[in-house]
């Protein structure tokens, strides 16, 4: 805020009078009773911090009348305008109008490539290894979510039963199918209720509600990836699911960064635009047609178009949902484990709600496998 917004009069050296009188022609202030100069009450507080002027003694005679002079002002110096403020340094030409992503792009690309190598190697070499990758992601994601809930809201969702139950959900879904996953969900919810009983009853309902929510949000939704993996062509289904989600996010970022002007949900995620959503739909539908036609047994390109459309919508909704949670918690990222990306949960936000939709469409289009 500059000085003018505070309502101060324009600065003028050597002037100490009312704002409607200028320094030109201003002589010594007439004395009041008690010798106080005009404009100052005797014994009153003076709010200004400028030095008091030296006023000639009214009894002195001889010589022309002199204006008041400040103690730190040299003799014979007239009223001067204040020195102009230095001009702001212009931004380099290359930075004008340049948009920034807000993250370390090199670190993000490096971490993304590393994760891609781990996922592909475990996915096609030995399926149970990829199940282990899912379990690790689920446990770390639960740890990030429960830690942020405790730090920001004081919600103590029990991590131990959530981590054990979450791992059991993923394994049961891969080994026993949907029925096994549902049994594991029910047992995990019961374990959360019982585990929380070991602590004082204050906020019991709040903590167990958050725990059951975490059980459904992270491990239960991730179980549908294990259900996809269990099919005969499971690795290709999972790869299609991952490709479409990544392509949807990439299309939204690329188109929104270049052409985005209309906000999609400014109160939730100000960076997302309608143009970005259109880019996500276009990119995901094109990738879906190609992947379904050439990578999925008995798949067809038109099925891929519908699959890509569904992925773009659910991935965007998942991203907005986690953005809403992070705004409620007052944080930017759920964690710092992945440089350039945030935490594990910041990478799972689009994948988790997309997994059950992709699994269901594959079952409808080409069967459970």
């Amino acid at each position: 805020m500059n000085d003018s917004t505070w309502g101060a009069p324009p600065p003028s050296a050597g002037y100490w009078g009312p704002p409607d009188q200028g320094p030109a022609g201003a002589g010594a202030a007439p004395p009041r009773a008690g010798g106080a100069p005009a404009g100052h009450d005797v014994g009153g507080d003076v709010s200004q911090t400028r030095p008091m002027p030296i006023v000639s003694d009214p009894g002195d005679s001889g010589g022309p009348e002199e204006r008041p002079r400040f103690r730190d002002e040299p003799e014979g110096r007239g009223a001067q305008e204040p020195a102009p403020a230095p001009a702001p340094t212009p931004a380099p030409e290359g930075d004008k109008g340049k948009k920034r992503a807000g993250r370390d792009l090199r670190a993000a690309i490096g971490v993304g490539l590393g994760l891609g190598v781990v996922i592909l190697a475990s996915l096609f070499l030995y399926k149970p290894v990829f199940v282990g990758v899912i379990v690790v992601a689920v446990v770390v994601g639960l740890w990030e979510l429960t830690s942020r809930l405790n730090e920001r809201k004081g919600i103590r969702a029990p991590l131990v039963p959530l981590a054990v139950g979450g791992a059991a959900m993923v394994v049961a879904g891969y080994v026993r199918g949907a029925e096994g996953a549902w049994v594991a969900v029910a047992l995990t919810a019961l374990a959360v209720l019982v585990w929380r009983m070991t602590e004082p009853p204050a906020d019991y309902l709040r903590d167990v509600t958050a725990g059951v929510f975490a059980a459904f949000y992270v491990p239960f939704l991730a179980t549908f990836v294990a259900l996809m993996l269990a099919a005969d062509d499971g690795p290709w289904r999972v790869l299609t699911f991952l490709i479409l989600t990544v392509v949807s996010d990439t299309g939204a970022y690329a188109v929104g960064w270049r052409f985005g002007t209309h906000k999609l949900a400014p109160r939730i995620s100000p960076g997302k635009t309608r143009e970005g959503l259109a880019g996500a739909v276009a990119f995901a539908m094109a990738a879906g047609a190609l992947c379904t036609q050439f990578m999925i047994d008995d798949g067809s390109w038109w099925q891929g178009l519908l699959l890509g459309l569904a992925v773009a919508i659910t991935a965007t909704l998942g991203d907005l949902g986690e953005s809403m949670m992070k705004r409620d918690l007052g944080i930017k990222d759920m964690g710092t484990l992945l440089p350039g990306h945030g935490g594990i949960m910041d990478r799972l936000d689009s994948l988790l709600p997309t997994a059950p939709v992709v699994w269901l469409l594959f079952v409808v289009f080409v069967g459970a496998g």
Side-chain angles (χ1 to χ4, degrees):
M1 181 179 293
N2 53 37
D3 292 339
S4 62
T5 61
W6 288 85
S12 177
Y15 175 58
W16 191 256
D20 58 344
Q21 297 181 7
R32 282 188 178 182
H40 296 274
D41 294 330
V42 177
D45 293 331
V46 179
S47 60
Q48 290 87 350
T49 58
R50 299 175 64 186
M52 293 294 293
I54 302 175
V55 184
S56 301
D57 189 343
D60 293 344
S61 60
E65 185 179 31
E66 297 180 355
R67 68 171 180 86
R69 178 172 59 85
F70 291 98
R71 297 185 186 277
D72 57 352
E73 179 181 325
E75 293 191 32
R77 180 180 177 183
Q80 296 181 356
E81 295 295 330
T89 304
E93 293 294 333
D95 291 342
K96 291 183 178 180
K98 184 178 179 181
K99 296 183 179 180
R100 298 184 182 273
R103 292 187 183 273
D104 188 341
L105 189 58
R106 292 183 179 180
I109 293 175
V111 171
L113 291 176
L115 290 175
V117 170
V118 172
I119 290 172
L120 290 176
S122 60
L123 186 60
F124 286 97
L125 291 179
Y126 190 51
K127 285 184 180 182
V129 176
F130 186 74
V131 174
V133 172
I134 301 174
V135 169
V136 171
V138 162
V139 172
V140 176
L142 286 169
W143 169 71
E144 290 179 346
L145 179 59
T146 55
S147 297
R148 301 297 87 76
L149 289 174
N150 190 20
E151 291 172 2
R152 309 298 297 185
K153 296 290 187 178
I155 300 175
R156 302 185 304 276
L159 177 60
V160 173
L162 285 173
V164 175
M169 288 183 215
V170 175
V171 175
Y174 177 73
V175 176
R176 303 295 296 178
E179 296 82 359
W182 276 113
V183 172
V185 170
L187 293 176
T188 301
L190 180 60
V192 168
L193 297 175
V194 174
W195 190 279
R196 180 58 180 80
M197 291 179 183
T198 61
E199 298 181 11
D203 299 322
Y204 175 81
L205 288 176
R206 183 195 65 178
D207 294 344
V208 298
T209 300
V212 173
F213 163 75
F216 273 90
Y217 179 53
V218 184
F220 177 70
L221 294 181
T223 299
F224 287 93
V225 182
L227 292 176
M228 279 188 274
L229 183 65
D232 294 336
D233 59 344
W236 295 104
R237 296 191 184 196
V238 174
L239 182 60
T240 299
F241 154 69
L242 295 174
I243 289 176
L244 294 190
T245 307
V246 172
V247 166
S248 173
D249 289 345
T250 304
Y253 173 81
V255 175
W257 182 84
R258 182 64 180 86
F259 303 104
T261 56
H262 301 85
K263 300 298 183 182
L264 179 63
R267 291 188 298 177
I268 301 175
S269 183
K272 289 181 174 52
T273 62
R274 299 174 189 174
E275 293 81 3
L277 176 59
V281 171
F283 277 56
M285 291 181 70
L290 293 173
C291 291
T292 307
Q293 180 69 38
F294 297 107
M295 294 170 55
I296 303 301
D297 295 342
D298 301 324
S300 178
W301 63 271
W302 65 268
Q303 297 169 342
L305 291 177
L306 296 177
L307 187 63
L309 175 62
V311 167
I313 295 174
T314 55
T316 302
L317 290 176
D319 199 351
L320 289 174
E322 180 148 336
S323 295
M324 180 74 84
M325 284 189 285
K326 290 190 285 190
R327 281 190 173 276
D328 185 27
L329 295 173
I331 57 177
K332 178 178 175 58
D333 295 317
M334 282 289 188
T336 58
L337 185 62
L338 305 177
H341 293 267
I344 290 291
M345 287 300 300
D346 297 297
R347 294 299 87 199
L348 297 179
D349 54 0
S350 299
L351 295 168
L352 289 174
T354 303
V357 175
V358 173
W359 172 80
L360 178 61
L361 290 177
F362 274 143
V363 171
V364 172
F365 290 154
V366 297

